[in-house]
Every structure is written in structure tokens, then in C-alpha cells.
Amino acid sequence: MQNSRFDKSRLPSRHVTEGPARAPHRSYFYAMGISEDEMHSPWVGVATCWNEAAPCNISLNRQAQSVKQGVKKGGGCPREFTTITVTDGIAMGHEGMRSSLASRDAIADTVELTMRGHCYDALVGLAGCDKSLPGMMMAMVRLNVPSVFIYGGSILPGRLNGRDVVVQDVFEAVGQHQAGKMTDAELDILERVACPSAGACGGQYTANTMACVSEAIGLALPNSSGAPAPYESRDQYGLASGEAVMRLIERNIRARDIVTRKSLENAARVVACTGGSTNAGLHLPAIAHEAGIDFDLFDVCDIFRDTPYFVNLRPGGAYVAKDLYEAGGVPVVMRELRRAGLVHEDCITATGRSIGEEIDLVVREADGKVIHPVATPLSATGGVVGLKGNLAPDGAIVKVAGMTAEDQVFTGPARVFESEEEAFAAVQQRGYAEGDVFVIRNEGPAGGPGMREMLATTAALSGQGMGKKVALITDGRFSGATRGFCVGHVGPEAAHGGPIALLRDGDMITIDALAGRIEVDLSDDELAARKAAWAGARKTDYASGALWKYAQLVGGARWGAVTHPGAAAETHVYMDQ
């Protein structure tokens, strides 16, 4: 008997559960113990990125069980499935990082295919590591089904010598060890205590940045991203999310009702004020693309530029995700943004209420330590800045959270490397000079392929005490844990013949984050002559398989490094089939 709250005749699952022609399908479902009532209820995909690759994913399977209870409580039939994750912390610093960004789109693709193939009516997605969060949100918006996102939660900080330590400290310790500033025994102790629990990297790196985005954009329940992964209280958010998605089905509130131009701007505000990862400048345009919204890197950076930075989180600040949760989390942050008139309050959320109505429920105040009042920010502009100039006509991005104004302008000679490995070797061998501008090219989305992150190189520089004495630019990416004057997403990338492909050792480069400029001291005529003489994109070994396919399809970083035409070209709507 059909649940009277829901009109099954308008839901995709009718294609596998209703009518005499679906008797063979129903026989499969009865084999799994599905009841007749469940058969004729809405079917909800419960997707997780669970695997045993790293602590960020390890608790997702357990958390999914509470989601399923919530779906059942709300009158639905939950169907759990998994997709891949490539965990950046494990993939960092070697060839495995080429798989990272490509995995974002593979996650979106596989969730889409599973939902389409089995005709699920709604989606609750759980993700824990950097690319799995935007990948899951991209799938929700692409399918445009009623959707609720849940972050698996952050890791607890380790403790050593009276202070909190995180994995960023271990990456930087590698540089200290190479510089003779840390013994083998000290490094061994640090690596054993830095990551004491399940959960994603604890600072405001990419995972926690995109978790904050999930709340600010409206796809996640308020404050659901905050509790660390080991907290049993996360089960309450799972249960509530399962119930929430059933209310969204009942009211026909879909992902694109939630993800709008205004909600994307709200999300970018939260990235800026928390000093979040530069990777948000890649993922927000990609999510927008799934909704057919024109929202590129320059749009994101415009918001970054006029948003105050007032949340004191690592790597630019002092605190970790657990501290933000204990200070009131994203709801308190958004309350402060509203006080400055920086929130679109009419955006609908996964609760069915507007973001303004949700902020009205917040009673806690900024604590002045983790969350500063917006009236007295850490700096007047956002923690992430967009750059443009003759070296990056399609833009570039740099994180300046925690940097002084003096540190945000740098001029020096180019030291050109054709890959991350070349640059890392130079750092290990001290084959560079103070004042150099490292140029790492051929690491873009297509040229890498895969747009690798450069944490191993930047952390080694910081560990050697050179983080403020050199600058680094790349058509690849930087980890959310990166510190120092490091410019990523330079576009067009080298493989597409961008100016970064034309640089030579000794070319004078100026990076001015205060003015939003990145320039090489070459005339237009000289750049044109070098372009005419350019030998073309570097050949890579990736001539088959997933990375080859990705390199053929992927577009520029300015638009989110996307691999398909997006909703603007859509003629078939899954939910209305």
C-alpha cells in the first residue's frame, strides 16, 4: 500500500516498483527482505565514500546506518551504496596525486549512474575527504533530486609537548628533518601521535572548508559539519538528515532549489572569512556548473576580496575544526556575516527553512578566540585572494590568511621546473636561492594530468624556514594545508599554451596579492614571439585509461576543471522522467 504522504506516480522509483511489468524487479527486492510497504514508499539512495584508505573515510559506513534509520522513520526505503575516494593525504607527494581531482568527477559520475540505474528518488550523501565532498554535492545538483549532504567529521588533534599537532605538522617536519632541525626519533614520535582518531584533516584545509560550504550553501543541516568523526553525537545528525530528506521529497524541494547563485555566494563568504582552502575556488564553480549557473573563479574571488577574515583556524591561524565546533560552528560564523550584511537570507536550505530563519535560531556569540566578531576581524579582506595579469589571463588564486601586508607582495626571478618532482628535488638539495619564484608547470588539469597539489614541496620549504623567503606559482593546486606565498590555478595552464608555458629561468615575476595582480616583466611582443616558438604541450606517459580520458575532457581551472557541458546543455531531467 502506497504511503499517502508521497505521490509515487511522480517519483523515479515507480519504474522499478510499480505495476505488473515490474514483478521481476520486485522479486529481487523481496529477496533482500524489503517489505511491501517499503516497496511502495520513496526510495532514497544513501551514498558513502567509505573505504580503508585513510581515517577520513573509515567512520562513514557506521554513520550511514543512522541515516538509514532516519529515512525509515520518515517513511522511506533507504538503499545504501558506496563510491570511491582518493584520499589526498595518502596520494600527496607522488604520482598518486594525479588521481585526486579526477576522483571528484568520478565520484559524481558513479553516484549519478547508480541513482539513474536504480531509479532512486532522493539522495543522502556522506563524504569525508577533500574531493569526495564536492564530488558528492556535484552529483546531487546534477541529478537535481531532493538531497541532504553529511560530512563524516574531522579528526581530533594529536597532542605533543603541550600543544595540539595535526598532519600539517608532520609534512612540515619532513623539511625540518632534512634541514637537520629534527632527529629521526623526534620525527618518529610526531608521526605516531599527530592523527589519533578517525576523521578528516583537522585544520581549515580542503575537507573542512568544503564541509563549511555544505552548510553555507544549504545542502547540509545546520552545524552538522562540526562534530568530530569519533563523536557518537554525529549519529543524531545522520538520523535527522534521513528524516530531512523525506520532508524534502514531500515538499518537492530539489538540489537546484537550494543551490542558487545567491547560495553559492553565501558559501564563498564562509570560505573567505574562515581562511579556507584555495581549492574552494575550483569546486564552487564546478558545483555551479552542475546547476547551469555561470560562476567562475573571478566571481569567487570578487567575494573573497570584500569579505573580512575573522575565523582563526589553521593553517593561517591557531585553531582546528574541533575548536570551531565548540565555539558554535558555521551557524555562529554566518550570524557574524549577517551582522555585516554579507548573507543572502532568503536562500532555502535542507531543513526547508531559509538561511535567515536558521540564523534567527542561533543564540551563541563569537567567542573572540576562534571566531572573532566581524566588526573586529583578523584582516579586512578574505583569507583567499584572486590574481590576474599577463602571467594568468584566466586567473590564479593565493591564500593569504595569516600573512602580513608586507608579505603579500613579492618580486623575484623565475626558477622554472617542469614538474613537482623537479621542484621537490631542488628543495631537498637546497638548489635554489632566497628571493626565487618557483615556477612549477605542466601540472594543470590536462597537462598533469590531474592538477596535483604541492604540499610536499611547500611543507618542505616551510620546514627549512624558507616559506616567506621564496614564492611559488603553478598551474597545479595547493593543499588546504599549504602555508607561504603560493599561487595556484594559474590559467591557462601550460598544456593549453598559457603564459606559464613560456617562462624561462631569470624572468622577473611580481605577485601582488594586495592589488590582485600577477605579472611577468615581458612585453606583449616578447610573449607573442615565445608563443610562436613554443614546441607544444609536454608529452606524458598517460596515454590510456582513466587519466587519459580525464585529460581529453577536462576544461580550465577558471571554470572548475569540469568534464562535461553541464546543466546549461541539459535536455533530460532525471527527476521528471
Side-chain angles (χ1 to χ4, degrees):
M1 180 176 177
Q2 184 169 311
N3 190 320
S4 60
R5 285 175 55 203
F6 306 100
D7 182 1
K8 184 83 166 185
S9 69
R10 301 181 63 86
L11 296 177
S13 63
R14 73 184 186 277
H15 295 299
V16 295
T17 65
E18 306 306 306
R22 300 312 178 208
H25 301 68
R26 289 191 294 272
S27 67
Y28 282 129
F29 300 142
Y30 285 127
M32 294 184 285
I34 290 174
S35 69
E36 186 173 357
D37 284 345
E38 289 173 322
M39 190 81 69
H40 302 297
S41 297
W43 285 47
V44 177
V46 179
T48 80
C49 299
W50 178 87
N51 63 27
E52 294 182 331
C56 42
N57 313 309
I58 203 69
S59 67
L60 296 177
N61 189 22
R62 182 189 67 79
Q63 293 185 37
Q65 309 317 306
S66 62
V67 174
K68 290 159 68 176
Q69 291 175 18
V71 170
K72 289 180 178 180
K73 188 176 178 182
C77 180
R79 308 314 299 152
E80 184 180 355
F81 65 94
T82 60
T83 183
I84 68 162
T85 309
V86 173
T87 297
D88 286 21
I90 302 298
M92 194 73 67
H94 54 86
E95 288 290 300
M97 180 49 72
R98 299 195 191 282
S99 300
S100 169
L101 185 58
S103 77
R104 181 196 71 180
D105 296 74
I107 289 165
D109 291 348
T110 51
V111 171
E112 176 200 356
L113 292 172
T114 301
M115 293 284 291
R116 285 187 183 275
H118 302 116
C119 297
Y120 297 153
D121 302 317
L123 175 60
V124 181
L126 298 92
C129 190
D130 298 7
K131 305 308 171 295
S132 61
L133 280 80
M136 191 66 73
M137 287 185 267
M138 287 163 66
M140 292 172 173
V141 179
R142 182 184 303 176
L143 290 159
N144 196 25
V145 293
S147 302
V148 179
F149 178 86
I150 308 179
Y151 179 43
S154 68
I155 199 169
L156 295 171
R159 194 77 178 166
L160 183 63
N161 299 327
R163 70 181 186 94
D164 285 346
V165 292
V166 296
V167 73
Q168 174 192 344
D169 296 296
V170 188
F171 274 101
E172 294 183 2
V174 173
Q176 294 168 352
H177 180 265
Q178 291 167 347
K181 299 177 182 178
M182 178 177 283
T183 66
D184 290 348
E186 288 171 326
L187 182 61
D188 184 64
I189 292 169
L190 176 61
E191 71 182 57
R192 292 171 187 269
V193 302
C195 299
S197 75
C201 300
Q204 193 65 343
Y205 315 142
T206 304
N208 282 315
T209 296
M210 295 310 297
C212 292
V213 161
S214 72
E215 284 192 45
I217 211 169
L219 287 171
L221 298 184
N223 212 29
S224 63
S225 72
Y231 285 18
E232 296 294 327
S233 59
R234 292 210 60 83
D235 287 356
Q236 298 172 34
Y237 288 110
L239 188 73
S241 296
E243 293 181 274
V245 81
M246 298 309 300
R247 291 192 293 271
L248 295 179
I249 297 172
E250 188 174 16
R251 295 177 59 183
N252 194 30
I253 296 174
R254 305 181 185 183
R256 292 183 201 168
D257 298 321
I258 292 171
V259 177
T260 64
R261 171 74 187 219
K262 287 182 177 180
S263 73
L264 287 159
E265 291 176 359
N266 286 343
R269 295 282 185 203
V270 168
V271 174
C273 75
T274 60
S277 168
T278 56
N279 282 310
L282 195 70
H283 301 321
L284 287 173
I287 294 169
H289 179 74
E290 301 290 354
I293 298 169
D294 185 10
F295 189 69
D296 68 11
L297 177 64
F298 291 135
D299 296 309
V300 175
C301 290
D302 285 345
I303 294 167
F304 289 170
R305 185 174 57 250
D306 63 4
T307 306
Y309 162 54
F310 58 86
V311 185
N312 188 17
L313 296 173
R314 296 185 68 168
Y319 296 97
V320 296
K322 179 179 77 74
D323 302 317
L324 176 60
Y325 174 64
E326 291 171 353
V330 174
V332 174
V333 172
M334 296 201 74
R335 188 184 189 199
E336 289 300 311
L337 284 169
R338 183 170 74 171
R339 283 176 166 158
L342 297 176
V343 173
H344 297 294
E345 297 187 47
D346 57 340
C347 297
I348 197 74
T349 74
T351 65
R353 295 185 291 269
S354 72
I355 197 72
E357 291 172 318
E358 293 298 338
I359 295 173
D360 287 341
L361 301 175
V362 179
V363 296
R364 295 188 63 176
E365 298 285 346
D367 67 338
K369 292 170 53 182
V370 182
I371 306 172
H372 290 241
V374 70
T376 55
L378 295 164
S379 66
T381 189
V384 179
V385 172
L387 307 173
K388 189 176 183 181
N390 71 346
L391 185 47
D394 282 344
I397 198 165
V398 60
K399 180 185 262 190
V400 297
M403 295 174 64
T404 66
E406 183 181 358
D407 291 335
Q408 293 182 40
V409 180
F410 196 103
T411 298
R415 179 84 164 81
V416 180
F417 302 95
E418 302 298 339
S419 68
E420 182 190 11
E421 284 81 5
E422 284 190 14
F424 186 63
V427 173
Q428 287 184 305
Q429 298 160 14
R430 295 295 185 109
Y432 64 95
E434 184 175 325
D436 279 352
V437 178
F438 278 58
V439 176
I440 306 177
R441 63 191 179 198
N442 303 308
E443 294 289 4
M451 204 179 185
R452 289 191 292 176
E453 293 181 353
M454 308 291 164
L455 179 59
T457 300
T458 59
L461 285 167
S462 293
Q464 292 178 2
M466 297 296 286
K468 293 184 178 181
K469 297 176 182 178
V470 298
L472 198 155
I473 69 171
T474 181
D475 51 7
R477 297 180 295 121
F478 290 111
S479 165
T482 289
R483 292 193 295 169
F485 208 13
C486 300
V487 179
H489 304 198
V490 171
E493 62 173 291
H496 292 162
I500 193 172
L502 312 177
L503 296 179
R504 299 172 183 168
D505 284 343
D507 289 341
M508 293 302 294
I509 294 172
T510 297
I511 310 164
D512 186 342
L514 301 176
R517 302 297 296 171
I518 180 167
E519 305 277 353
V520 57
D521 187 17
L522 296 173
S523 67
D524 291 346
D525 288 345
E526 174 63 18
L527 284 169
R530 291 189 186 185
K531 181 65 177 288
W534 182 54
R538 180 191 63 166
K539 300 294 184 184
T540 76
D541 293 331
Y542 299 93
S544 66
L547 288 174
W548 178 86
K549 287 190 287 188
Y550 180 79
Q552 309 313 304
L553 293 170
V554 71
R558 174 179 172 180
W559 299 275
V562 294
T563 56
H564 65 100
E570 190 175 77
T571 59
H572 170 82
V573 179
Y574 167 74
M575 275 296 287
D576 296 329
Q577 62 181 332

